[in-house]
Amino acid sequence: MSGQAHGGFRQIFTQPKAVWAVAFASVIAFMGIGLVDPILPSIAADLNATPTEAEMLFTSYLVVTGVAMFFTSWLSSRIGAKRTLLIGLVLIVVFAAAAGLSGNVESVIGFRAGWGLGNALFISTALATIVGSAAGGSASAIILYEAALGLGIAIGPLLGGLLGHISWRGPFFGTAALMAIGFIAIVVLMREDLGTPAPVALSAPFKALRIPSLGVLAAAALFYNIAFFVLLAYSPFPLGLEAMQLGLVFFGWGIGLAVTSVFVAPILTAWMPRTRVLTIALVALALVHVGAALLIDSTPGLICMIIAGGLVLGVMNTVLTECVMEATDLPRSVASSAYSAVRFLGGAVAPIAATEIASLIAPAAAYYAAAASALIALLIVVFGRKALARVNGPIESDVEEAEAISVGDA
């Protein structure tokens, strides 16, 4: 973060109640990314599902989130931020509770998809709400939002492990209850909408991907996110741990991701061009997956690779989305949403592809495939470096930086 953002720490605790309400709900929304991770083996066992069917909980969520990201800027620009937030929260509450009540894996997969729609609507709007309502300028708002993002990514697997230790249904009911509280908080404390921005064309995100610089970054992000979600979504199966133990492992993964995303990535981009940081991080990510493949029969070794992967992923998330922000002259929300939609679709492929590769070849083969995917992303960045020439410039403003990072990490 910039010096302005650091200065915002002094005012982070003096925010209006509406800001705290949205920040609280943001933590819960970001928890949804890794919440089901520790309970995948339990769901597979209790519902007589195959690992591939269990992984569909990630795939259905990510497919719908990715597709919805193409349209959320169009919707929020017409009905306003508060309505978009509340619609997203209602969808999450309804579909998370329905998933917890399900009696078969097919129903859970379907309701998880509905959850993804709600999450896309909420996440795409939360930052604008916090920045528009925060006291003390944009710096304190950005710090608060980044803190919410980091907490959610780290706490999601831990809560999933704690509640999943009781029953695989627990994380779903827990999320529904917490999001219902968030809904009430926003209704009561956020009394005024921020207003409706200028309408965004429905076709805007699709046209954005025709721009070479953004197209290169989106293609790289697609293959990068395959590697990301192999590490997150496939690893619970070769680890063979109980839900609580898995929650602790991925809590460590999330903490590493949050720390490097907020603190380490800015240091690296101050020392070298962003494209160089991307190439180094992608090589490191490929090596992490090779290490995971070689250590797959060693639980401590595999855990170390997962946590090391979290450290690399935090840098990648921040730097990739900063590059997206500098790649075009488009409105940042349009560019970030288009890129993130493609990236989520890459993540949707990874969980089921990993379990199928593991079943057909060997458990370690999924990690080797993820390493290859990271190297494909690296080649896209290297061969597309001419199109990416402008991304090595300075970030224009802290608000725009936070917007891009938040959408990319969602």
Side-chain angles (χ1 to χ4, degrees), residues 218-257:
L222 186 147
F223 287 98
Y224 156 65
N225 230 33
I226 291 173
F228 182 113
F229 276 97
V230 168
L231 197 66
L232 173 63
Y234 169 68
S235 295
F237 289 100
L239 279 173
L241 301 175
E242 296 179 353
M244 187 62 231
Q245 295 170 321
L246 286 172
L248 290 171
V249 170
F250 285 97
F251 175 70
W253 169 87
I255 288 292
L257 188 152

Side-chain angles (χ1 to χ4, degrees), residues 258-328:
V259 168
T260 56
S261 177
V262 175
F263 298 108
V264 177
I267 294 173
L268 293 177
T269 54
W271 287 349
M272 65 186 79
R274 292 189 184 93
T275 50
R276 189 178 303 167
V277 177
L278 289 180
T279 59
I280 294 171
L282 286 167
V283 170
L285 184 59
L287 292 175
V288 164
H289 279 94
V290 171
L294 295 173
L295 296 171
I296 196 166
D297 293 324
S298 167
T299 299
L302 186 53
I303 290 172
C304 288
M305 289 298 101
I306 290 169
I307 294 175
L311 297 171
V312 177
L313 296 174
V315 173
M316 280 296 304
N317 283 351
T318 297
V319 180
L320 255 179
T321 46
E322 285 183 351
C323 288
V324 169
M325 187 168 48
E326 292 302 306
T328 72

